[in-house]
Amino acid sequence: MDYNCIIVTEHKGWVEITLNRPKVYNALNKDLLEELLEVITEAERDNKLRCIVITGQGGVFCSGQDLKSVGEDLENIPFAKIVREQYNPLILKIRQCSKTIICKLNGLAAGAGCSLALACDLIVASKDAYLAEIFPHIGLVMDGGSTYFLLNKLGYTKAYEIATTGRKVYADEAEKIGLITKSVDSSGLNEVVQQYIDVYTNASSTAVGGIKEMLHKAAGMSLDEVLEMEAEFQQKVGGGKDFIEGIRAFLEKRKPNFNQ
């Protein structure tokens, strides 16, 4: 399909989605958010795809909400409606999607763009890229899940500092404090992302999808509840063909082929 705000490039076993509004630093508007939700939903349904990569065009990831797209009547912007109808479905889809979603952070990720990056399962960033919760600079609070993501990744004290100052957190620091997965030289960004892609396109989709779902659910559970959940998921996943292939490969001293 043709899209107005994104570029979709399908590869063997994975798909890359590029935010494509470079003239406004890939700022988010209703069309872009809807297209992104549609492509991720379709990718999740496609059994041939096991990994989704999200990146930005023009050396920038995403500058956040396109403020010009919300109208000129600044006193009557329907903030709650925009967040509930445009952002929340996308963020929930990213978190609940059974496929691995990698953010290839090739430049700034600010405001809602920062939230979009943090929603992904892995973030691989070039060293000159940064995240910034710029909301307080324009008199707003965080949205797009950043409140949840910062608190869970960093704890209250660090989350508060980053959220309320709106300062730039460059990739090296972001990796050090656990905000992103990996900081790499810009020249090696594609190579490192490809290494992760290779892992997930050759992994058991049922196992990886199950682990992703369990990790999200476990955040609000007691140990007893987690132990019971693990038993239920193990029974469900263990009844699939990937387990049989994994055991056969182990006994035959070869790499498993989960793409059957």
Side-chain angles (χ1 to χ4, degrees):
M1 293 181 61
D2 292 327
Y3 296 97
N4 295 319
C5 302
I6 60 176
I7 299 170
V8 180
T9 308
E10 190 169 329
H11 305 267
K12 184 178 180 181
W14 64 284
V15 63
E16 183 171 69
I17 307 169
T18 304
L19 310 185
N20 187 34
R21 302 187 73 218
K23 291 183 179 180
V24 290
Y25 303 104
N26 301 323
L28 303 168
N29 62 8
K30 185 174 185 290
D31 288 344
L32 193 157
L33 292 165
E34 288 180 347
E35 289 180 3
L36 196 52
L37 176 60
E38 179 182 340
V39 173
I40 293 173
T41 301
E42 290 300 317
E44 184 178 26
R45 294 172 181 160
D46 190 339
N47 292 330
K48 300 188 302 295
L49 301 176
R50 293 171 177 245
C51 186
I52 300 166
V53 176
I54 303 176
T55 191
Q57 186 76 289
V60 173
F61 181 68
C62 178
S63 59
Q65 170 67 37
D66 185 347
L67 297 176
K68 291 182 179 180
S69 72
V70 298
E72 297 180 358
D73 185 2
L74 298 181
E75 295 183 358
N76 293 290
I77 296 173
F79 290 107
K81 179 180 175 65
I82 292 171
V83 171
R84 289 179 179 136
E85 295 182 4
Q86 297 178 27
Y87 283 94
N88 293 358
L90 173 62
I91 298 302
L92 287 173
K93 172 55 66 176
I94 291 172
R95 299 302 276 184
Q96 295 168 359
C97 177
S98 60
K99 311 293 175 71
T100 298
I101 301 182
I102 301 172
C103 172
K104 183 166 71 174
L105 194 63
N106 58 324
L108 73 90
C114 182
S115 300
L116 176 60
L118 293 177
C120 297
D121 300 309
L122 301 174
I123 305 174
V124 182
S126 62
K127 289 184 181 295
D128 55 353
Y130 65 83
L131 301 103
E133 299 285 7
I134 61 171
F135 296 96
H137 293 332
I138 55 173
L140 292 175
V141 298
M142 294 182 294
D143 58 27
S146 271
T147 306
Y148 176 89
F149 301 134
L150 287 185
L151 189 61
N152 279 271
K153 287 173 177 283
L154 305 176
Y156 176 83
T157 302
K158 199 65 180 176
Y160 181 88
E161 184 261 332
I162 289 174
T164 56
T165 63
R167 69 177 179 85
K168 299 175 182 178
V169 183
Y170 281 90
D172 280 348
E173 179 190 358
E175 179 185 4
K176 184 177 180 180
I177 64 178
L179 197 57
I180 69 171
T181 311
K182 201 170 188 63
S183 171
V184 301
D185 291 331
S186 58
S187 61
L189 180 61
N190 289 335
E191 180 182 353
V192 174
V193 170
Q194 188 63 54
Q195 290 171 359
Y196 280 108
I197 291 169
D198 292 343
V199 169
Y200 292 108
T201 53
N202 290 289
S204 163
S205 58
T206 54
V208 171
I211 289 169
K212 178 174 179 175
E213 185 178 351
M214 289 167 61
L215 286 171
H216 292 318
K217 288 184 174 181
M221 290 182 172
S222 66
L223 176 59
D224 287 346
E225 291 170 330
V226 170
L227 291 171
E228 177 56 29
M229 176 181 66
E230 289 176 339
E232 293 175 357
F233 270 73
Q234 200 69 289
Q235 184 64 48
K236 180 172 66 174
V237 174
K241 62 182 182 180
D242 281 0
F243 170 67
I244 302 300
E245 169 60 16
I247 290 299
R248 286 175 175 167
F250 176 78
L251 295 175
E252 295 168 8
K253 296 181 172 57
R254 60 175 175 81
K255 290 184 178 181
N257 177 17
F258 293 120
N259 299 304
Q260 300 183 74

